[in-house]
Amino acid sequence: MDRIRVIGGSRLEGTIPISGAKNAALPLMIASLLTADTLTLKNVPQLADVIQLGRILGNHGVDLTIAGKRPGDAPGQGQTFRLTAHDIVDTVAPYEMVSRMRASFWVLGPLVARMGKAKVSLPGGCAIGTRPVDLHLEALRALGAQIDLEDGYVIASAPKGLSGGRISFAKVSVGATHNALMAAARAKGETIIENAAREPEVGDVAECLVKMGAKIDGIGTSTLTIQGADELKAAAHTVLPDRIETGTYAMAVAVTGGDVMLDNARADLLEEPLEVLRKAGVEITTTNRGIRISRNGAGLKPVKVETQPFPGFPTDLQAQLMALMSVAEGTSTIRETIFENRFMHVQELARLGADIALDGDVALVSGVKGLRGAQVMATDLRASVSLVIAGLAAEGETVINRVYHLDRGFERIEEKLSRCGAQIERLSA
Ligand code: EPZ
């Protein structure tokens, strides 16, 4: 199994191109199930999760062609995917697939909307918490699907198709909003989704559905009104930049006291995290090329942060912020409100010398003068990258095991960082 070796202490300087957002690319790929025509997606990041979802969709009958890079393409430019679900050959998503990739559960809504039936495995537990699917099922019931649970599978049926309805989520869920939105795009009549997730990736999917022929009002707000269409048609859409990758590199630059331009990054997608970094003493300049991050000499100030759905501070940046704050001058308070078990990185950061005390959903991070390299291992994607950030600040060598987590969500991370002066390399097994 590959590992990543980081020798800490180098200041990052230069440019990092920001890729297309993983968490938009995945539901956008799934949206291809809604039409017999071709959906063209540009700026798709090269990630293990994207490849895996391509395989899963292939099982359902989606034909995927990937256009490679062309001469003259910008270095950060992603791939172009053409997805055609001319015939859906299988409406079953088996356990082996859904348990490996939770987002593949989101095929449920599109499949039942188009085919009148779907059988999708319950995703099961994962490293960051229990992650139930009750909200997904409630949404599809509101659109007229009958839902049965059998042998670990959700069986959804709507032989005469789905019809519009009112969905009022008791809790904000990104995945349930994606599922409901995609299903509503092919339901008869009007659907209103209240307390919808406002994450920019939801807005990106909604905009793509509009290009495919759905009518959607309220994009970017917590109330979405959708007029479903009998048929959706071919469309081309460019995946928006990855705000979590942006925030991650911003923290990596900050921890090394560097100066880096994050090309293609959009500040409007992560105002709250950028504000937190400013409060910590990081300089942030937004230009039409992207976001410039620098910290020259000044120490890092501690912060008080609570994770929240968008536009709040994202849970997907919590681990990275913790790594950064572990070398701040004082004690930071970080509260995780989205996933109950998302502190798996704490023990690994402690191996590098971080001083973090956990009390329920709160982590008290007392900044230390310096971290020291060690062997570490992570249990999820964002936890892994927090160890890279800590490794960049640590004295000596840090070896991060289980790199497959990183490959699921960060495109060419060692290349992007080493181009800016980091000493980082992949050790192939
Ligand atoms: C998405 O997961 C993201 N995944 C996650 O990113 C992200 O951490 C999360 O949203 C929150 O922003 C993708 O986009 C592929 P949720 P999702 O449904 O949709 C509870 C990463 O590292 N809930 O918004 O699965 C749930 O337990 C990943 O890229 C219910 O109670 O998250 C959690 O407490 C990790 N019932 C909260 O809602 C439900 O039916 C938010 O979860 C569904 C969710």
Side-chain angles (χ1 to χ4, degrees):
M1 230 181 280
D2 286 5
R3 291 168 300 156
I4 294 259
R5 176 164 58 199
V6 185
I7 315 278
S10 309
R11 192 171 171 265
L12 296 183
E13 239 174 295
T15 302
I16 297 180
I18 297 302
S19 300
K22 168 181 84 85
N23 287 350
L26 299 177
L28 284 165
M29 289 171 69
I30 291 174
S32 69
L33 290 169
L34 291 165
T35 172
D37 293 344
T38 300
L39 178 63
T40 304
L41 297 177
K42 298 180 193 162
N43 199 31
V44 177
Q46 282 186 13
L47 298 172
D49 267 12
V50 162
I51 300 300
Q52 171 74 5
L53 182 61
R55 279 195 209 110
I56 293 174
L57 292 174
N59 263 13
H60 294 299
V62 178
D63 183 42
L64 166 63
T65 57
I66 303 176
K69 268 192 189 310
R70 298 203 171 85
D73 279 356
Q77 201 159 314
Q79 320 158 89
T80 295
F81 277 21
R82 290 197 175 79
L83 301 118
T84 314
H86 193 266
D87 295 304
I88 303 283
V89 295
D90 196 345
T91 53
V92 180
Y95 176 73
E96 305 77 67
M97 303 237 167
V98 184
S99 60
R100 278 172 67 181
M101 178 185 231
R102 205 187 140 82
S104 62
F105 183 77
W106 305 347
V107 301
L108 183 67
L111 282 178
V112 71
R114 177 159 163 200
M115 304 301 292
K117 60 175 184 170
K119 180 174 172 185
V120 178
S121 169
L122 286 164
C126 79
I128 61 174
T130 46
R131 302 178 83 181
V133 293
D134 53 320
L135 300 171
H136 298 246
L137 305 186
E138 201 181 290
L140 294 177
R141 278 197 193 100
L143 302 183
Q146 185 184 322
I147 305 282
D148 295 297
L149 297 180
E150 226 172 72
D151 305 329
Y153 278 79
V154 175
I155 300 172
S157 64
K160 293 187 183 138
L162 297 176
S163 11
R166 182 177 286 268
I167 299 165
S168 193
F169 286 123
K171 185 172 181 177
V172 177
S173 161
V174 173
T177 306
H178 281 310
N179 228 332
L181 182 62
M182 289 191 277
R186 274 203 69 163
K188 281 183 214 86
E190 181 177 279
T191 297
I192 297 176
I193 307 178
E194 290 167 342
N195 203 20
R198 283 183 283 163
E199 269 64 7
E201 295 75 24
V202 172
D204 210 35
V205 170
E207 271 161 23
C208 180
L209 292 172
V210 168
K211 290 178 192 159
M212 292 166 76
K215 290 199 180 68
I216 305 175
D217 281 337
I219 296 177
T221 75
S222 54
T223 305
L224 297 169
T225 306
I226 303 117
Q227 311 290 341
D230 270 353
E231 280 195 354
L232 294 176
K233 54 179 198 294
H237 185 79
T238 302
V239 181
L240 89 176
D242 196 316
R243 65 194 164 101
I244 304 300
E245 190 195 25
T246 305
T248 300
Y249 286 125
M251 292 184 208
V253 174
V255 91
T256 70
D259 187 344
V260 168
M261 184 72 201
L262 302 178
D263 262 357
N264 318 321
R266 266 177 50 192
D268 61 310
L269 303 180
L270 70 162
E271 281 176 359
E272 180 60 27
L274 292 178
E275 192 48 37
V276 168
L277 288 180
R278 273 195 196 97
K279 284 188 186 144
V282 180
E283 276 179 52
I284 296 164
T285 324
T286 303
T287 72
N288 53 10
R289 200 178 137 184
I291 307 173
R292 182 173 164 196
I293 307 286
S294 62
R295 182 171 72 89
N296 297 316
L300 283 163
K301 295 190 208 72
V303 294
K304 191 170 180 199
V305 166
E306 181 174 298
T307 61
Q308 286 293 340
F310 191 85
F313 191 93
T315 173
D316 287 348
L317 283 175
Q318 179 256 106
Q320 298 89 315
L321 180 69
M322 201 178 290
L324 179 63
M325 287 301 119
S326 67
V327 292
E329 294 167 349
T331 301
S332 299
T333 309
I334 302 179
R335 180 157 178 247
E336 172 59 53
T337 73
I338 311 287
F339 293 113
E340 77 273 18
N341 196 22
R342 209 172 195 180
F343 281 140
M344 309 294 273
H345 42 283
V346 169
Q347 290 197 7
E348 299 300 304
L349 289 171
R351 289 176 58 77
L352 300 173
D355 180 358
I356 305 168
L358 283 183
D359 180 9
D361 60 359
V362 174
L364 288 176
V365 188
S366 305
V368 294
K369 286 241 157 3
L371 300 171
R372 296 180 74 90
Q375 291 253 359
V376 285
M377 140 173 344
T379 42
D380 82 86
L381 166 62
R382 311 303 176 185
S384 306
V385 86
S386 78
L387 299 172
V388 173
I389 293 176
L392 289 170
E395 193 190 319
E397 179 183 284
T398 297
V399 175
I400 298 145
N401 293 289
R402 298 201 181 164
V403 168
Y404 60 86
H405 286 300
L406 277 177
D407 293 336
R408 288 186 44 212
F410 288 92
E411 188 174 42
R412 299 178 290 120
I413 185 167
E414 67 274 24
E415 194 185 315
K416 288 189 184 187
L417 286 171
S418 60
R419 279 205 184 149
C420 291
Q423 291 188 61
I424 179 168
E425 63 176 336
R426 181 179 290 256
L427 308 172
S428 292

mmCIF file of all heavy atoms in Angstrom, residues 91-113:
data_model
loop_
_atom_site.group_PDB
_atom_site.id
_atom_site.type_symbol
_atom_site.label_atom_id
_atom_site.label_comp_id
_atom_site.label_asym_id
_atom_site.label_seq_id
_atom_site.Cartn_x
_atom_site.Cartn_y
_atom_site.Cartn_z
ATOM 1 N N THR A 91 -31.354 -1.916 -12.037
ATOM 2 C CA THR A 91 -31.773 -0.902 -11.057
ATOM 3 C C THR A 91 -31.350 -1.302 -9.641
ATOM 4 O O THR A 91 -31.840 -0.767 -8.654
ATOM 5 C CB THR A 91 -33.313 -0.694 -11.095
ATOM 6 O OG1 THR A 91 -33.943 -1.967 -10.937
ATOM 7 C CG2 THR A 91 -33.757 -0.049 -12.388
ATOM 8 N N VAL A 92 -30.425 -2.265 -9.556
ATOM 9 C CA VAL A 92 -29.952 -2.716 -8.244
ATOM 10 C C VAL A 92 -28.544 -2.168 -7.990
ATOM 11 O O VAL A 92 -27.666 -2.284 -8.841
ATOM 12 C CB VAL A 92 -29.918 -4.262 -8.178
ATOM 13 C CG1 VAL A 92 -29.416 -4.731 -6.812
ATOM 14 C CG2 VAL A 92 -31.285 -4.841 -8.475
ATOM 15 N N ALA A 93 -28.343 -1.569 -6.822
ATOM 16 C CA ALA A 93 -27.001 -1.143 -6.413
ATOM 17 C C ALA A 93 -26.592 -2.019 -5.232
ATOM 18 O O ALA A 93 -27.113 -1.857 -4.124
ATOM 19 C CB ALA A 93 -26.992 0.327 -6.031
ATOM 20 N N PRO A 94 -25.694 -2.975 -5.466
ATOM 21 C CA PRO A 94 -25.407 -3.978 -4.435
ATOM 22 C C PRO A 94 -24.545 -3.449 -3.281
ATOM 23 O O PRO A 94 -23.853 -2.440 -3.413
ATOM 24 C CB PRO A 94 -24.653 -5.066 -5.203
ATOM 25 C CG PRO A 94 -24.099 -4.397 -6.398
ATOM 26 C CD PRO A 94 -24.963 -3.216 -6.711
ATOM 27 N N TYR A 95 -24.598 -4.191 -2.184
ATOM 28 C CA TYR A 95 -23.870 -3.828 -0.962
ATOM 29 C C TYR A 95 -22.387 -3.563 -1.226
ATOM 30 O O TYR A 95 -21.822 -2.590 -0.733
ATOM 31 C CB TYR A 95 -24.034 -4.950 0.077
ATOM 32 C CG TYR A 95 -23.230 -4.696 1.330
ATOM 33 C CD1 TYR A 95 -23.627 -3.727 2.240
ATOM 34 C CD2 TYR A 95 -22.067 -5.421 1.592
ATOM 35 C CE1 TYR A 95 -22.889 -3.467 3.382
ATOM 36 C CE2 TYR A 95 -21.321 -5.173 2.744
ATOM 37 C CZ TYR A 95 -21.730 -4.197 3.626
ATOM 38 O OH TYR A 95 -20.992 -3.943 4.744
ATOM 39 N N GLU A 96 -21.748 -4.453 -2.010
ATOM 40 C CA GLU A 96 -20.291 -4.323 -2.229
ATOM 41 C C GLU A 96 -19.940 -2.955 -2.798
ATOM 42 O O GLU A 96 -18.852 -2.442 -2.587
ATOM 43 C CB GLU A 96 -19.768 -5.383 -3.220
ATOM 44 C CG GLU A 96 -20.077 -6.833 -2.887
ATOM 45 C CD GLU A 96 -21.507 -7.199 -3.221
ATOM 46 O OE1 GLU A 96 -21.839 -7.220 -4.405
ATOM 47 O OE2 GLU A 96 -22.308 -7.451 -2.296
ATOM 48 N N MET A 97 -20.853 -2.369 -3.556
ATOM 49 C CA MET A 97 -20.554 -1.067 -4.165
ATOM 50 C C MET A 97 -20.900 0.074 -3.217
ATOM 51 O O MET A 97 -20.097 0.964 -2.973
ATOM 52 C CB MET A 97 -21.379 -0.906 -5.434
ATOM 53 C CG MET A 97 -21.117 -2.025 -6.404
ATOM 54 S SD MET A 97 -20.566 -1.373 -7.942
ATOM 55 C CE MET A 97 -19.967 -2.828 -8.746
ATOM 56 N N VAL A 98 -22.126 0.030 -2.663
ATOM 57 C CA VAL A 98 -22.577 1.164 -1.847
ATOM 58 C C VAL A 98 -21.764 1.266 -0.555
ATOM 59 O O VAL A 98 -21.484 2.363 -0.076
ATOM 60 C CB VAL A 98 -24.090 1.050 -1.543
ATOM 61 C CG1 VAL A 98 -24.577 2.266 -0.785
ATOM 62 C CG2 VAL A 98 -24.879 0.896 -2.836
ATOM 63 N N SER A 99 -21.335 0.099 -0.026
ATOM 64 C CA SER A 99 -20.574 0.164 1.226
ATOM 65 C C SER A 99 -19.189 0.758 0.979
ATOM 66 O O SER A 99 -18.587 1.330 1.875
ATOM 67 C CB SER A 99 -20.452 -1.221 1.852
ATOM 68 O OG SER A 99 -19.800 -2.088 0.964
ATOM 69 N N ARG A 100 -18.685 0.668 -0.249
ATOM 70 C CA ARG A 100 -17.365 1.242 -0.540
ATOM 71 C C ARG A 100 -17.452 2.721 -0.830
ATOM 72 O O ARG A 100 -16.476 3.444 -0.725
ATOM 73 C CB ARG A 100 -16.741 0.519 -1.742
ATOM 74 C CG ARG A 100 -16.090 -0.775 -1.304
ATOM 75 C CD ARG A 100 -15.644 -1.578 -2.460
ATOM 76 N NE ARG A 100 -14.559 -0.951 -3.193
ATOM 77 C CZ ARG A 100 -14.020 -1.491 -4.273
ATOM 78 N NH1 ARG A 100 -14.464 -2.627 -4.730
ATOM 79 N NH2 ARG A 100 -13.041 -0.883 -4.896
ATOM 80 N N MET A 101 -18.598 3.169 -1.237
ATOM 81 C CA MET A 101 -18.732 4.570 -1.570
ATOM 82 C C MET A 101 -20.136 5.049 -1.270
ATOM 83 O O MET A 101 -21.089 4.749 -1.970
ATOM 84 C CB MET A 101 -18.457 4.734 -3.038
ATOM 85 C CG MET A 101 -18.646 6.138 -3.356
ATOM 86 S SD MET A 101 -18.476 6.364 -5.046
ATOM 87 C CE MET A 101 -17.403 7.577 -4.907
ATOM 88 N N ARG A 102 -20.247 5.782 -0.183
ATOM 89 C CA ARG A 102 -21.551 6.161 0.333
ATOM 90 C C ARG A 102 -22.390 6.966 -0.652
ATOM 91 O O ARG A 102 -23.604 6.806 -0.742
ATOM 92 C CB ARG A 102 -21.303 6.983 1.601
ATOM 93 C CG ARG A 102 -22.430 6.950 2.526
ATOM 94 C CD ARG A 102 -22.226 7.882 3.675
ATOM 95 N NE ARG A 102 -23.489 8.507 3.953
ATOM 96 C CZ ARG A 102 -24.436 7.939 4.670
ATOM 97 N NH1 ARG A 102 -24.239 6.791 5.231
ATOM 98 N NH2 ARG A 102 -25.581 8.556 4.849
ATOM 99 N N ALA A 103 -21.723 7.835 -1.417
ATOM 100 C CA ALA A 103 -22.481 8.699 -2.330
ATOM 101 C C ALA A 103 -23.243 7.881 -3.372
ATOM 102 O O ALA A 103 -24.209 8.371 -3.960
ATOM 103 C CB ALA A 103 -21.548 9.698 -3.009
ATOM 104 N N SER A 104 -22.826 6.616 -3.588
ATOM 105 C CA SER A 104 -23.538 5.831 -4.603
ATOM 106 C C SER A 104 -24.955 5.488 -4.151
ATOM 107 O O SER A 104 -25.785 5.083 -4.957
ATOM 108 C CB SER A 104 -22.752 4.577 -4.982
ATOM 109 O OG SER A 104 -22.600 3.753 -3.864
ATOM 110 N N PHE A 105 -25.256 5.697 -2.862
ATOM 111 C CA PHE A 105 -26.638 5.526 -2.386
ATOM 112 C C PHE A 105 -27.572 6.524 -3.093
ATOM 113 O O PHE A 105 -28.768 6.292 -3.210
ATOM 114 C CB PHE A 105 -26.687 5.718 -0.857
ATOM 115 C CG PHE A 105 -28.047 5.490 -0.273
ATOM 116 C CD1 PHE A 105 -28.529 4.198 -0.097
ATOM 117 C CD2 PHE A 105 -28.873 6.562 0.076
ATOM 118 C CE1 PHE A 105 -29.803 3.975 0.426
ATOM 119 C CE2 PHE A 105 -30.141 6.353 0.598
ATOM 120 C CZ PHE A 105 -30.604 5.049 0.765
ATOM 121 N N TRP A 106 -26.974 7.633 -3.552
ATOM 122 C CA TRP A 106 -27.785 8.695 -4.158
ATOM 123 C C TRP A 106 -28.353 8.306 -5.523
ATOM 124 O O TRP A 106 -29.095 9.077 -6.114
ATOM 125 C CB TRP A 106 -26.975 9.999 -4.272
ATOM 126 C CG TRP A 106 -26.392 10.460 -2.965
ATOM 127 C CD1 TRP A 106 -26.707 10.010 -1.708
ATOM 128 C CD2 TRP A 106 -25.380 11.448 -2.777
ATOM 129 N NE1 TRP A 106 -25.949 10.668 -0.757
ATOM 130 C CE2 TRP A 106 -25.129 11.551 -1.387
ATOM 131 C CE3 TRP A 106 -24.655 12.275 -3.641
ATOM 132 C CZ2 TRP A 106 -24.198 12.436 -0.850
ATOM 133 C CZ3 TRP A 106 -23.726 13.163 -3.117
ATOM 134 C CH2 TRP A 106 -23.499 13.231 -1.727
ATOM 135 N N VAL A 107 -28.015 7.102 -6.021
ATOM 136 C CA VAL A 107 -28.644 6.652 -7.276
ATOM 137 C C VAL A 107 -30.118 6.325 -7.031
ATOM 138 O O VAL A 107 -30.896 6.221 -7.975
ATOM 139 C CB VAL A 107 -27.937 5.410 -7.905
ATOM 140 C CG1 VAL A 107 -26.480 5.708 -8.216
ATOM 141 C CG2 VAL A 107 -28.056 4.176 -6.993
ATOM 142 N N LEU A 108 -30.502 6.159 -5.771
ATOM 143 C CA LEU A 108 -31.862 5.717 -5.436
ATOM 144 C C LEU A 108 -32.929 6.626 -6.065
ATOM 145 O O LEU A 108 -33.830 6.136 -6.758
ATOM 146 C CB LEU A 108 -32.025 5.673 -3.903
ATOM 147 C CG LEU A 108 -33.355 5.158 -3.378
ATOM 148 C CD1 LEU A 108 -33.536 3.684 -3.696
ATOM 149 C CD2 LEU A 108 -33.450 5.366 -1.855
ATOM 150 N N GLY A 109 -32.819 7.926 -5.812
ATOM 151 C CA GLY A 109 -33.821 8.880 -6.314
ATOM 152 C C GLY A 109 -33.900 8.874 -7.841
ATOM 153 O O GLY A 109 -34.982 8.663 -8.415
ATOM 154 N N PRO A 110 -32.770 9.090 -8.523
ATOM 155 C CA PRO A 110 -32.808 9.102 -9.993
ATOM 156 C C PRO A 110 -33.331 7.796 -10.591
ATOM 157 O O PRO A 110 -34.114 7.813 -11.538
ATOM 158 C CB PRO A 110 -31.343 9.333 -10.384
ATOM 159 C CG PRO A 110 -30.741 10.012 -9.215
ATOM 160 C CD PRO A 110 -31.474 9.540 -8.004
ATOM 161 N N LEU A 111 -32.947 6.646 -10.014
ATOM 162 C CA LEU A 111 -33.389 5.370 -10.593
ATOM 163 C C LEU A 111 -34.894 5.195 -10.443
ATOM 164 O O LEU A 111 -35.586 4.832 -11.400
ATOM 165 C CB LEU A 111 -32.664 4.186 -9.934
ATOM 166 C CG LEU A 111 -31.229 3.922 -10.383
ATOM 167 C CD1 LEU A 111 -30.644 2.745 -9.605
ATOM 168 C CD2 LEU A 111 -31.127 3.659 -11.883
ATOM 169 N N VAL A 112 -35.422 5.476 -9.254
ATOM 170 C CA VAL A 112 -36.859 5.271 -9.078
ATOM 171 C C VAL A 112 -37.636 6.302 -9.898
ATOM 172 O O VAL A 112 -38.705 6.006 -10.439
ATOM 173 C CB VAL A 112 -37.266 5.238 -7.580
ATOM 174 C CG1 VAL A 112 -37.179 6.588 -6.921
ATOM 175 C CG2 VAL A 112 -38.672 4.679 -7.426
ATOM 176 N N ALA A 113 -37.076 7.497 -10.039
ATOM 177 C CA ALA A 113 -37.762 8.529 -10.831
ATOM 178 C C ALA A 113 -37.850 8.115 -12.298
ATOM 179 O O ALA A 113 -38.867 8.302 -12.947
ATOM 180 C CB ALA A 113 -37.027 9.864 -10.707
#
